Amino acid sequence: MSWIKEITLEVPSLSDNTADIDRLRRYLSKTLKWEGPIEIDLDLVTKIPDFFRQNDFKFECCMFRDRSKIVITGIRERGSSFLGVAVDLGTTTYVIRIIDLKSKETLLEHSFINPQEKIGADILTRIHFATNKGVKELQDLIVDDINIRLKEMCDSLNRSVKDVFNMAVAGNTTMTHLFLGIDPKWIIREPYIPAVNEIDLIKAKDINIDLSPNSRIFCFPNIGSYFGGDLIAGILYTGIHRKEEISILVDVGTNAEVVLGNKDWLVACAGAAGPALETGMSKIGKRAGPGIIDRIRYDPDKKRFEYHTIGDLPPVGICGSGVIDLAATMFRWGLIDFRGKFVPDKAPSLFKELDGIWHIVIVPSEESGTKEDLLISQPEIDSLIRSKAAMYTILETITSTVGITFEDIKNFYVGGTFGNYIDPKSAIFIGMLPDIPIERFKGMGNTSLEGATLILKEPDFMEEIWEIQKKITYIELNVNQDFMMKFSAAKFLPHTDKERFPSVMSFFKNT
Amino acid sequence: MSWIKEITLEVPSLSDNTADIDRLRRYLSKTLKWEGPIEIDLDLVTKIPDFFRQNDFKFECCMFRDRSKIVITGIRERGSSFLGVAVDLGTTTYVIRIIDLKSKETLLEHSFINPQEKIGADILTRIHFATNKGVKELQDLIVDDINIRLKEMCDSLNRSVKDVFNMAVAGNTTMTHLFLGIDPKWIIREPYIPAVNEIDLIKAKDINIDLSPNSRIFCFPNIGSYFGGDLIAGILYTGIHRKEEISILVDVGTNAEVVLGNKDWLVACAGAAGPALETGMSKIGKRAGPGIIDRIRYDPDKKRFEYHTIGDLPPVGICGSGVIDLAATMFRWGLIDFRGKFVPDKAPSLFKELDGIWHIVIVPSEESGTKEDLLISQPEIDSLIRSKAAMYTILETITSTVGITFEDIKNFYVGGTFGNYIDPKSAIFIGMLPDIPIERFKGMGNTSLEGATLILKEPDFMEEIWEIQKKITYIELNVNQDFMMKFSAAKFLPHTDKERFPSVMSFFKNT
């Protein structure tokens, strides 16, 4: 299946004088076995009679749909180009991927800073700004940026934005609201109600996105205020909801979002994990990019760190996966103790006290791309410990809520911006992820973008979105006394209850 | 039932955190037992969260629908005004009727000249004009006029066009196409295919009709090029499709449209009847209005016509019903013979030869409002005869096609501009309508306008529209040899086969 259909209509005659539009609908209803509505914009209706006759009633038709209707997003001569655009609409960055709707190939993909960062890096600031009559401004920022970026991308492909018929957008609930120009203010006020979860197909021009005239934008539905369409897209991509065995998808960012389940049930929760796991926790923390450290090991003989940077360039920062590696290797070699506190005696030359705060030199100035020492401070390590503890506690809470153990989880999918880079061994070592067989961990990359792409390629997956939405139970993470106790117990490396991490313990025993 | 629903939503809570829009949809799906789509415009979505909370989730909601979806056309505080507008979109005149969607009362009604008359009085001229890049101009003419007229009407009611949420438009196929800005060119070219028969709800602003922001326009569906939504509206109003017994609806204008059937079947056809039956056949032929003769009798003793004018004003013209009366009374008193030819000997003082053409004086100059003789010429009577013969032949053809006789028709509904005024006795007398018991004839007024009004008052009737559309079989009137023979036979008064008109014959026998 594809959103593009090659159509040959029966030519009208005196004995079959069905109107042109009705004729097309009749054909589609029959061939698609679709009894629901088939929508055709009025301006397209006005063009169809001449177009049909110029093409002898043979043409290609692009469709899109939401839960209840199919929409004709474009009609072109046979052999025409039909593009689709998948957007992962992140709070910090967003990604545009252009695909050919016929061949289903990815033609181009780029990642951009969400220009709403100007207003505020975090979601809360943007929500407050929106509520103070800033919705339109926030919407314009992202819409204008998408228009500019997408045009540049299309230009570089020698295509036009007018060749784009279907766009699929996966974002969290707030980003989706802002994209549509909806004030998200009730999302952060008890009882935390989004304006809309299930979003009908949007006419691109209704929100000033510049695509072909009858194009539509599909926004993945939200489950609730803290569980958005990006996660639904992620579930769709990983296929948790199709499998017999139990899987988990963890999307790690500023928020940690978790989905657990199988083909019969799905539970989800989300909780704040702190910034340490996303753009890095420190002054030198950065998103993955050229010169960023993504792998790091400590050499106890040389008393220095061995690292790998993206593009093998002089190091300028460290990304989330690097930070996890760093904490693991420091713990491994005793540079931090089980509370995460620096142990300067282990390598006095690496530690520095600056303004009364202890720092450790990750990269000395002579090696660094910035010509300055790349440092991590004790408070930054403390922050990482809190983040990893939050992550573990969320995982512990959701599994115990449904009465399973970590051992029951057969697939552990890690998504999010650094899902592909994370070394599960390191994450287990610091007690961020549970100690289950390493081969069960699978870095999935940008699951939100992949889910959005999937829906552009395979119309049949559309139904699964509603199944996921229907099946999912969202568990509000009550940060109650029980949670706080679990969290406190997890604020150690790997955990106060060491028996939960036999592989880590056996490592210390063996060395 | 009504399109307005008073709604009290459950107030959201932590245990029921359904999004606002989803909450409204859930409520409506449940209370309306509707599983199809419920559409809410994005700009309305943006307003709903604050509106709900300002009104404690209690409000009134206006809906409208087409075949496959319900649309929320407005949400207001309780006790608000919701107006609906019914439009009979005629080729020559159009009528606007404003109703209160809650009380279902008619508030105001006016009839206006269709401003497209500027381009051409007849449909064909307008179609050619449209095809020569004139669609937009024709659309603008009617749209602008409706906007101006409707605003004036709303002003006079101390209301605003922003109080109008639902509009129902019933017009013939071409008028509907032009109203929507669709080039109707293929309607008049074999095999006569409209662009669209089944029309989705239209956003008023998409065609620049100025109503409330989320209002919708429902256009009655067409059956084919020569059988439009005005007729569907007419059938809906007369209820032919609900009755056990066979009924017929005849809409007489330049075109004669006929529907015959009962609750099990409906057949329809349309044919040219000539202009004589609509605006009148002659220089003095006019639409019903002040000073227009609508009833006329010949006084054989005084050798003059006795007439009634609308408003009892000095006569200035004669309308369709008057023309039929005139022909009947002239035939009755021998002023025309059975071929429709003048018999000047009968009243020499009434006949005049002007430019070699015989005329009869209907109203002498001293009595007329124009200070000139109101005359009818022989060619004008010939034209009437052709029209009445066409009408009768169409009726004969459609009944014989389905194998029934005129006697089987229990209700004979006469619609169209002069349906209310026509005297069936006169129409039978000249052989325009069949000779069945006089009490079976019912003048129905503007059935198209009444049907459009009905759909604004009673949502339940919406389903019947699709039933009618599905049930109806449109018979293309082949003007073949058989038809022409029947037509020739009908070009006599009342008919060559006199036995078909026993009441007329008995009249002559008795006098």
Side-chain angles (χ1 to χ4, degrees), chain A residues 18-22 25 37 50 53 68 181 185-186 193-195 197-198 200 207, chain B residues 18-22 25 37 42 46 50 53 68 185-186 190 193-195 197-198 200:
Chain A
T18 306
D20 292 330
I21 300 299
D22 306 53
R25 282 180 166 148
D50 282 353
R53 286 161 184 82
S68 52
K185 78 170 154 189
W186 302 104
I193 310 296
N197 280 336
E198 193 177 320
D200 293 338
I207 56 167
Chain B
T18 306
D20 292 331
I21 300 301
D22 305 54
R25 283 179 167 151
L42 187 56
T46 65
D50 282 353
R53 286 160 184 83
S68 53
K185 80 170 152 190
W186 302 103
E190 207 181 313
I193 309 296
N197 280 335
E198 194 179 318
D200 293 338

mmCIF file of all heavy atoms in Angstrom, chain A residues 18-22 25 37 50 53 68 181 185-186 193-195 197-198 200 207, chain B residues 18-22 25 37 42 46 50 53 68 185-186 190 193-195 197-198 200:
data_model
loop_
_atom_site.group_PDB
_atom_site.id
_atom_site.type_symbol
_atom_site.label_atom_id
_atom_site.label_comp_id
_atom_site.label_asym_id
_atom_site.label_seq_id
_atom_site.Cartn_x
_atom_site.Cartn_y
_atom_site.Cartn_z
ATOM 1 N N THR A 18 -22.610 9.536 -13.614
ATOM 2 C CA THR A 18 -22.182 9.957 -12.279
ATOM 3 C C THR A 18 -21.283 11.195 -12.397
ATOM 4 O O THR A 18 -20.452 11.272 -13.297
ATOM 5 C CB THR A 18 -21.394 8.802 -11.619
ATOM 6 O OG1 THR A 18 -22.198 7.648 -11.661
ATOM 7 C CG2 THR A 18 -21.026 9.124 -10.186
ATOM 8 N N ALA A 19 -21.449 12.116 -11.477
ATOM 9 C CA ALA A 19 -20.640 13.341 -11.496
ATOM 10 C C ALA A 19 -19.171 13.001 -11.264
ATOM 11 O O ALA A 19 -18.845 11.960 -10.706
ATOM 12 C CB ALA A 19 -21.141 14.307 -10.431
ATOM 13 N N ASP A 20 -18.293 13.890 -11.691
ATOM 14 C CA ASP A 20 -16.854 13.615 -11.646
ATOM 15 C C ASP A 20 -16.363 13.286 -10.243
ATOM 16 O O ASP A 20 -15.659 12.296 -10.033
ATOM 17 C CB ASP A 20 -16.079 14.827 -12.184
ATOM 18 C CG ASP A 20 -16.304 15.028 -13.668
ATOM 19 O OD1 ASP A 20 -16.541 14.031 -14.370
ATOM 20 O OD2 ASP A 20 -16.251 16.182 -14.129
ATOM 21 N N ILE A 21 -16.701 14.126 -9.286
ATOM 22 C CA ILE A 21 -16.219 13.925 -7.919
ATOM 23 C C ILE A 21 -16.823 12.643 -7.337
ATOM 24 O O ILE A 21 -16.126 11.846 -6.707
ATOM 25 C CB ILE A 21 -16.609 15.135 -7.031
ATOM 26 C CG1 ILE A 21 -15.989 16.425 -7.590
ATOM 27 C CG2 ILE A 21 -16.223 14.904 -5.587
ATOM 28 C CD1 ILE A 21 -14.494 16.430 -7.647
ATOM 29 N N ASP A 22 -18.093 12.467 -7.575
ATOM 30 C CA ASP A 22 -18.774 11.274 -7.077
ATOM 31 C C ASP A 22 -18.178 10.013 -7.704
ATOM 32 O O ASP A 22 -18.071 8.966 -7.073
ATOM 33 C CB ASP A 22 -20.279 11.350 -7.374
ATOM 34 C CG ASP A 22 -20.922 12.624 -6.850
ATOM 35 O OD1 ASP A 22 -20.408 13.710 -7.189
ATOM 36 O OD2 ASP A 22 -21.917 12.555 -6.112
ATOM 37 N N ARG A 25 -14.936 9.311 -5.923
ATOM 38 C CA ARG A 25 -15.223 8.762 -4.596
ATOM 39 C C ARG A 25 -15.715 7.322 -4.677
ATOM 40 O O ARG A 25 -15.342 6.474 -3.872
ATOM 41 C CB ARG A 25 -16.299 9.599 -3.909
ATOM 42 C CG ARG A 25 -15.778 10.889 -3.347
ATOM 43 C CD ARG A 25 -16.927 11.620 -2.693
ATOM 44 N NE ARG A 25 -16.449 12.696 -1.861
ATOM 45 C CZ ARG A 25 -17.117 13.827 -1.662
ATOM 46 N NH1 ARG A 25 -18.298 14.011 -2.210
ATOM 47 N NH2 ARG A 25 -16.611 14.765 -0.900
ATOM 48 N N PRO A 37 -16.020 8.888 5.061
ATOM 49 C CA PRO A 37 -15.970 10.055 4.184
ATOM 50 C C PRO A 37 -14.658 10.159 3.400
ATOM 51 O O PRO A 37 -13.605 9.760 3.893
ATOM 52 C CB PRO A 37 -16.096 11.238 5.139
ATOM 53 C CG PRO A 37 -15.935 10.723 6.518
ATOM 54 C CD PRO A 37 -16.082 9.237 6.496
ATOM 55 N N ASP A 50 -11.894 19.501 -15.753
ATOM 56 C CA ASP A 50 -10.992 19.664 -16.899
ATOM 57 C C ASP A 50 -9.797 18.718 -16.798
ATOM 58 O O ASP A 50 -9.386 18.121 -17.801
ATOM 59 C CB ASP A 50 -10.499 21.111 -16.993
ATOM 60 C CG ASP A 50 -11.558 22.025 -17.589
ATOM 61 O OD1 ASP A 50 -12.609 21.507 -18.041
ATOM 62 O OD2 ASP A 50 -11.349 23.250 -17.609
ATOM 63 N N ARG A 53 -10.542 15.203 -17.962
ATOM 64 C CA ARG A 53 -10.706 15.051 -19.408
ATOM 65 C C ARG A 53 -9.388 15.239 -20.161
ATOM 66 O O ARG A 53 -9.141 14.586 -21.165
ATOM 67 C CB ARG A 53 -11.801 16.004 -19.900
ATOM 68 C CG ARG A 53 -13.188 15.469 -19.483
ATOM 69 C CD ARG A 53 -14.312 16.462 -19.475
ATOM 70 N NE ARG A 53 -15.535 15.818 -18.966
ATOM 71 C CZ ARG A 53 -15.818 15.655 -17.665
ATOM 72 N NH1 ARG A 53 -14.974 16.095 -16.736
ATOM 73 N NH2 ARG A 53 -16.926 15.038 -17.285
ATOM 74 N N SER A 68 -11.101 9.193 11.008
ATOM 75 C CA SER A 68 -12.431 8.972 10.465
ATOM 76 C C SER A 68 -12.591 9.314 8.997
ATOM 77 O O SER A 68 -13.612 9.000 8.412
ATOM 78 C CB SER A 68 -13.443 9.785 11.273
ATOM 79 O OG SER A 68 -13.026 11.127 11.350
ATOM 80 N N GLY A 181 -1.056 26.497 17.254
ATOM 81 C CA GLY A 181 -1.529 27.791 17.739
ATOM 82 C C GLY A 181 -2.539 27.696 18.873
ATOM 83 O O GLY A 181 -3.369 28.587 19.064
ATOM 84 N N LYS A 185 -2.101 26.349 28.120
ATOM 85 C CA LYS A 185 -2.016 26.701 29.539
ATOM 86 C C LYS A 185 -2.624 25.686 30.479
ATOM 87 O O LYS A 185 -2.133 25.512 31.595
ATOM 88 C CB LYS A 185 -2.594 28.088 29.799
ATOM 89 C CG LYS A 185 -4.086 28.200 29.839
ATOM 90 C CD LYS A 185 -4.462 29.602 30.364
ATOM 91 C CE LYS A 185 -5.822 30.003 29.847
ATOM 92 N NZ LYS A 185 -6.145 31.387 30.118
ATOM 93 N N TRP A 186 -3.675 24.979 30.058
ATOM 94 C CA TRP A 186 -4.328 24.055 30.989
ATOM 95 C C TRP A 186 -3.552 22.758 31.159
ATOM 96 O O TRP A 186 -3.864 21.934 32.010
ATOM 97 C CB TRP A 186 -5.777 23.794 30.551
ATOM 98 C CG TRP A 186 -6.538 25.082 30.491
ATOM 99 C CD1 TRP A 186 -6.881 25.782 29.369
ATOM 100 C CD2 TRP A 186 -6.983 25.883 31.603
ATOM 101 N NE1 TRP A 186 -7.511 26.957 29.711
ATOM 102 C CE2 TRP A 186 -7.591 27.042 31.080
ATOM 103 C CE3 TRP A 186 -6.907 25.714 32.998
ATOM 104 C CZ2 TRP A 186 -8.153 28.035 31.880
ATOM 105 C CZ3 TRP A 186 -7.462 26.713 33.811
ATOM 106 C CH2 TRP A 186 -8.067 27.854 33.254
ATOM 107 N N ILE A 193 -5.189 19.294 31.685
ATOM 108 C CA ILE A 193 -6.022 18.888 30.546
ATOM 109 C C ILE A 193 -5.533 19.540 29.245
ATOM 110 O O ILE A 193 -5.533 20.757 29.119
ATOM 111 C CB ILE A 193 -7.491 19.301 30.779
ATOM 112 C CG1 ILE A 193 -7.986 18.839 32.152
ATOM 113 C CG2 ILE A 193 -8.395 18.785 29.670
ATOM 114 C CD1 ILE A 193 -8.019 17.340 32.339
ATOM 115 N N PRO A 194 -5.135 18.742 28.266
ATOM 116 C CA PRO A 194 -4.809 19.308 26.954
ATOM 117 C C PRO A 194 -6.082 19.848 26.288
ATOM 118 O O PRO A 194 -7.192 19.424 26.644
ATOM 119 C CB PRO A 194 -4.275 18.112 26.157
ATOM 120 C CG PRO A 194 -4.068 17.004 27.134
ATOM 121 C CD PRO A 194 -4.997 17.275 28.277
ATOM 122 N N ALA A 195 -5.911 20.774 25.376
ATOM 123 C CA ALA A 195 -7.075 21.234 24.611
ATOM 124 C C ALA A 195 -7.591 20.083 23.754
ATOM 125 O O ALA A 195 -8.789 19.853 23.661
ATOM 126 C CB ALA A 195 -6.702 22.428 23.737
ATOM 127 N N ASN A 197 -6.508 15.966 22.226
ATOM 128 C CA ASN A 197 -5.599 14.830 22.080
ATOM 129 C C ASN A 197 -5.663 14.269 20.674
ATOM 130 O O ASN A 197 -4.669 14.073 20.022
ATOM 131 C CB ASN A 197 -5.938 13.731 23.093
ATOM 132 C CG ASN A 197 -5.371 14.033 24.464
ATOM 133 O OD1 ASN A 197 -4.400 14.768 24.608
ATOM 134 N ND2 ASN A 197 -5.996 13.494 25.488
ATOM 135 N N GLU A 198 -6.887 14.030 20.236
ATOM 136 C CA GLU A 198 -7.035 13.456 18.905
ATOM 137 C C GLU A 198 -7.239 14.592 17.917
ATOM 138 O O GLU A 198 -8.249 15.294 17.960
ATOM 139 C CB GLU A 198 -8.223 12.513 18.886
ATOM 140 C CG GLU A 198 -8.208 11.677 17.638
ATOM 141 C CD GLU A 198 -9.326 10.689 17.620
ATOM 142 O OE1 GLU A 198 -9.621 10.096 18.668
ATOM 143 O OE2 GLU A 198 -9.925 10.544 16.547
ATOM 144 N N ASP A 200 -7.655 16.140 14.197
ATOM 145 C CA ASP A 200 -8.016 15.854 12.809
ATOM 146 C C ASP A 200 -6.893 16.311 11.886
ATOM 147 O O ASP A 200 -6.096 17.163 12.252
ATOM 148 C CB ASP A 200 -9.288 16.624 12.430
ATOM 149 C CG ASP A 200 -10.507 16.123 13.188
ATOM 150 O OD1 ASP A 200 -10.492 14.976 13.654
ATOM 151 O OD2 ASP A 200 -11.479 16.898 13.305
ATOM 152 N N ILE A 207 -2.568 26.628 8.948
ATOM 153 C CA ILE A 207 -1.573 27.065 9.938
ATOM 154 C C ILE A 207 -0.357 27.669 9.226
ATOM 155 O O ILE A 207 0.734 27.745 9.800
ATOM 156 C CB ILE A 207 -1.148 25.922 10.891
ATOM 157 C CG1 ILE A 207 -0.623 24.715 10.125
ATOM 158 C CG2 ILE A 207 -2.302 25.489 11.784
ATOM 159 C CD1 ILE A 207 0.105 23.717 11.046
ATOM 160 N N THR B 18 -9.530 13.484 30.195
ATOM 161 C CA THR B 18 -9.742 13.574 28.754
ATOM 162 C C THR B 18 -9.573 15.035 28.302
ATOM 163 O O THR B 18 -10.010 15.944 29.000
ATOM 164 C CB THR B 18 -11.180 13.107 28.444
ATOM 165 O OG1 THR B 18 -11.358 11.823 29.015
ATOM 166 C CG2 THR B 18 -11.448 13.046 26.956
ATOM 167 N N ALA B 19 -8.961 15.220 27.156
ATOM 168 C CA ALA B 19 -8.754 16.571 26.637
ATOM 169 C C ALA B 19 -10.100 17.239 26.333
ATOM 170 O O ALA B 19 -11.113 16.564 26.147
ATOM 171 C CB ALA B 19 -7.890 16.518 25.382
ATOM 172 N N ASP B 20 -10.098 18.562 26.295
ATOM 173 C CA ASP B 20 -11.346 19.316 26.145
ATOM 174 C C ASP B 20 -12.126 18.935 24.889
ATOM 175 O O ASP B 20 -13.329 18.672 24.938
ATOM 176 C CB ASP B 20 -11.042 20.813 26.126
ATOM 177 C CG ASP B 20 -10.537 21.309 27.474
ATOM 178 O OD1 ASP B 20 -10.924 20.720 28.502
ATOM 179 O OD2 ASP B 20 -9.759 22.273 27.501
ATOM 180 N N ILE B 21 -11.446 18.929 23.771
ATOM 181 C CA ILE B 21 -12.124 18.644 22.503
ATOM 182 C C ILE B 21 -12.605 17.194 22.484
ATOM 183 O O ILE B 21 -13.733 16.897 22.067
ATOM 184 C CB ILE B 21 -11.170 18.889 21.314
ATOM 185 C CG1 ILE B 21 -10.691 20.350 21.295
ATOM 186 C CG2 ILE B 21 -11.810 18.499 20.000
ATOM 187 C CD1 ILE B 21 -11.766 21.370 21.194
ATOM 188 N N ASP B 22 -11.754 16.309 22.956
ATOM 189 C CA ASP B 22 -12.109 14.880 22.998
ATOM 190 C C ASP B 22 -13.301 14.667 23.934
ATOM 191 O O ASP B 22 -14.160 13.815 23.687
ATOM 192 C CB ASP B 22 -10.916 14.044 23.461
ATOM 193 C CG ASP B 22 -9.668 14.275 22.619
ATOM 194 O OD1 ASP B 22 -9.274 15.448 22.479
ATOM 195 O OD2 ASP B 22 -9.087 13.311 22.104
ATOM 196 N N ARG B 25 -16.395 15.736 22.073
ATOM 197 C CA ARG B 25 -16.731 14.712 21.077
ATOM 198 C C ARG B 25 -17.305 13.460 21.719
ATOM 199 O O ARG B 25 -18.252 12.872 21.216
ATOM 200 C CB ARG B 25 -15.480 14.318 20.291
ATOM 201 C CG ARG B 25 -15.099 15.333 19.253
ATOM 202 C CD ARG B 25 -13.855 14.834 18.568
ATOM 203 N NE ARG B 25 -13.593 15.601 17.363
ATOM 204 C CZ ARG B 25 -12.379 15.809 16.870
ATOM 205 N NH1 ARG B 25 -11.324 15.309 17.467
ATOM 206 N NH2 ARG B 25 -12.225 16.517 15.770
ATOM 207 N N PRO B 37 -17.383 10.914 12.193
ATOM 208 C CA PRO B 37 -16.536 12.034 12.593
ATOM 209 C C PRO B 37 -17.336 13.241 13.095
ATOM 210 O O PRO B 37 -18.446 13.490 12.638
ATOM 211 C CB PRO B 37 -15.794 12.397 11.306
ATOM 212 C CG PRO B 37 -16.462 11.685 10.205
ATOM 213 C CD PRO B 37 -17.302 10.591 10.767
ATOM 214 N N LEU B 42 -10.049 24.349 13.621
ATOM 215 C CA LEU B 42 -8.899 24.621 14.479
ATOM 216 C C LEU B 42 -9.042 25.944 15.236
ATOM 217 O O LEU B 42 -8.690 26.034 16.419
ATOM 218 C CB LEU B 42 -7.623 24.616 13.616
ATOM 219 C CG LEU B 42 -6.306 24.706 14.347
ATOM 220 C CD1 LEU B 42 -6.157 23.599 15.382
ATOM 221 C CD2 LEU B 42 -5.142 24.647 13.362
ATOM 222 N N THR B 46 -8.955 26.438 19.388
ATOM 223 C CA THR B 46 -8.103 27.328 20.192
ATOM 224 C C THR B 46 -8.909 28.123 21.218
ATOM 225 O O THR B 46 -8.385 28.516 22.242
ATOM 226 C CB THR B 46 -7.320 28.333 19.308
ATOM 227 O OG1 THR B 46 -8.254 29.201 18.664
ATOM 228 C CG2 THR B 46 -6.489 27.639 18.259
ATOM 229 N N ASP B 50 -10.559 27.933 27.251
ATOM 230 C CA ASP B 50 -10.963 29.037 28.134
ATOM 231 C C ASP B 50 -12.477 29.171 28.194
ATOM 232 O O ASP B 50 -13.047 29.387 29.265
ATOM 233 C CB ASP B 50 -10.349 30.357 27.645
ATOM 234 C CG ASP B 50 -8.879 30.479 28.034
ATOM 235 O OD1 ASP B 50 -8.392 29.601 28.780
ATOM 236 O OD2 ASP B 50 -8.222 31.428 27.593
ATOM 237 N N ARG B 53 -14.096 26.723 30.614
ATOM 238 C CA ARG B 53 -13.877 27.033 32.026
ATOM 239 C C ARG B 53 -14.620 28.290 32.460
ATOM 240 O O ARG B 53 -15.103 28.372 33.597
ATOM 241 C CB ARG B 53 -12.372 27.107 32.293
ATOM 242 C CG ARG B 53 -11.758 25.702 32.300
ATOM 243 C CD ARG B 53 -10.282 25.620 32.075
ATOM 244 N NE ARG B 53 -9.860 24.211 32.009
ATOM 245 C CZ ARG B 53 -9.937 23.450 30.918
ATOM 246 N NH1 ARG B 53 -10.393 23.967 29.782
ATOM 247 N NH2 ARG B 53 -9.576 22.186 30.952
ATOM 248 N N SER B 68 -21.632 12.312 5.893
ATOM 249 C CA SER B 68 -20.717 11.483 6.664
ATOM 250 C C SER B 68 -20.180 12.117 7.928
ATOM 251 O O SER B 68 -19.559 11.437 8.726
ATOM 252 C CB SER B 68 -19.549 11.080 5.765
ATOM 253 O OG SER B 68 -18.977 12.230 5.193
ATOM 254 N N LYS B 185 -19.297 23.721 -17.192
ATOM 255 C CA LYS B 185 -19.313 23.510 -18.646
ATOM 256 C C LYS B 185 -19.671 22.098 -19.084
ATOM 257 O O LYS B 185 -20.293 21.915 -20.123
ATOM 258 C CB LYS B 185 -18.001 23.959 -19.288
ATOM 259 C CG LYS B 185 -16.840 23.035 -19.203
ATOM 260 C CD LYS B 185 -15.711 23.555 -20.111
ATOM 261 C CE LYS B 185 -14.382 23.097 -19.561
ATOM 262 N NZ LYS B 185 -13.239 23.715 -20.218
ATOM 263 N N TRP B 186 -19.294 21.090 -18.295
ATOM 264 C CA TRP B 186 -19.553 19.716 -18.750
ATOM 265 C C TRP B 186 -21.007 19.304 -18.556
ATOM 266 O O TRP B 186 -21.428 18.245 -19.015
ATOM 267 C CB TRP B 186 -18.596 18.748 -18.063
ATOM 268 C CG TRP B 186 -17.176 19.110 -18.343
ATOM 269 C CD1 TRP B 186 -16.313 19.741 -17.503
ATOM 270 C CD2 TRP B 186 -16.480 18.955 -19.584
ATOM 271 N NE1 TRP B 186 -15.112 19.975 -18.139
ATOM 272 C CE2 TRP B 186 -15.185 19.497 -19.416
ATOM 273 C CE3 TRP B 186 -16.839 18.403 -20.837
ATOM 274 C CZ2 TRP B 186 -14.233 19.512 -20.445
ATOM 275 C CZ3 TRP B 186 -15.892 18.409 -21.845
ATOM 276 C CH2 TRP B 186 -14.605 18.961 -21.648
ATOM 277 N N GLU B 190 -22.439 16.518 -23.935
ATOM 278 C CA GLU B 190 -22.647 15.087 -23.800
ATOM 279 C C GLU B 190 -21.421 14.430 -23.196
ATOM 280 O O GLU B 190 -20.314 14.797 -23.578
ATOM 281 C CB GLU B 190 -22.972 14.462 -25.178
ATOM 282 C CG GLU B 190 -23.804 13.194 -25.008
ATOM 283 C CD GLU B 190 -24.141 12.517 -26.339
ATOM 284 O OE1 GLU B 190 -24.570 13.221 -27.263
ATOM 285 O OE2 GLU B 190 -23.971 11.289 -26.412
ATOM 286 N N ILE B 193 -22.163 15.717 -17.607
ATOM 287 C CA ILE B 193 -21.662 15.312 -16.288
ATOM 288 C C ILE B 193 -21.421 16.526 -15.385
ATOM 289 O O ILE B 193 -20.596 17.382 -15.691
ATOM 290 C CB ILE B 193 -20.332 14.529 -16.447
ATOM 291 C CG1 ILE B 193 -20.479 13.404 -17.478
ATOM 292 C CG2 ILE B 193 -19.866 13.995 -15.099
ATOM 293 C CD1 ILE B 193 -21.461 12.327 -17.097
ATOM 294 N N PRO B 194 -22.119 16.600 -14.262
ATOM 295 C CA PRO B 194 -21.797 17.657 -13.303
ATOM 296 C C PRO B 194 -20.412 17.401 -12.703
ATOM 297 O O PRO B 194 -19.936 16.257 -12.714
ATOM 298 C CB PRO B 194 -22.864 17.496 -12.203
ATOM 299 C CG PRO B 194 -23.887 16.549 -12.745
ATOM 300 C CD PRO B 194 -23.180 15.718 -13.774
ATOM 301 N N ALA B 195 -19.791 18.445 -12.178
ATOM 302 C CA ALA B 195 -18.522 18.243 -11.469
ATOM 303 C C ALA B 195 -18.782 17.444 -10.208
ATOM 304 O O ALA B 195 -18.038 16.543 -9.864
ATOM 305 C CB ALA B 195 -17.882 19.585 -11.125
ATOM 306 N N ASN B 197 -22.081 15.949 -7.509
ATOM 307 C CA ASN B 197 -23.485 15.846 -7.105
ATOM 308 C C ASN B 197 -23.614 15.910 -5.594
ATOM 309 O O ASN B 197 -24.402 16.675 -5.065
ATOM 310 C CB ASN B 197 -24.109 14.535 -7.610
ATOM 311 C CG ASN B 197 -24.510 14.626 -9.064
ATOM 312 O OD1 ASN B 197 -24.761 15.722 -9.574
ATOM 313 N ND2 ASN B 197 -24.568 13.492 -9.743
ATOM 314 N N GLU B 198 -22.823 15.103 -4.921
ATOM 315 C CA GLU B 198 -22.903 15.085 -3.471
ATOM 316 C C GLU B 198 -21.872 16.053 -2.926
ATOM 317 O O GLU B 198 -20.670 15.847 -3.076
ATOM 318 C CB GLU B 198 -22.650 13.680 -2.948
ATOM 319 C CG GLU B 198 -23.056 13.578 -1.516
ATOM 320 C CD GLU B 198 -22.843 12.185 -0.986
ATOM 321 O OE1 GLU B 198 -23.150 11.231 -1.714
ATOM 322 O OE2 GLU B 198 -22.357 12.078 0.147
ATOM 323 N N ASP B 200 -20.030 18.098 0.054
ATOM 324 C CA ASP B 200 -19.758 18.162 1.495
ATOM 325 C C ASP B 200 -20.157 19.537 2.024
ATOM 326 O O ASP B 200 -20.247 20.499 1.273
ATOM 327 C CB ASP B 200 -18.261 17.979 1.759
ATOM 328 C CG ASP B 200 -17.786 16.576 1.409
ATOM 329 O OD1 ASP B 200 -18.627 15.662 1.375
ATOM 330 O OD2 ASP B 200 -16.583 16.401 1.167
#
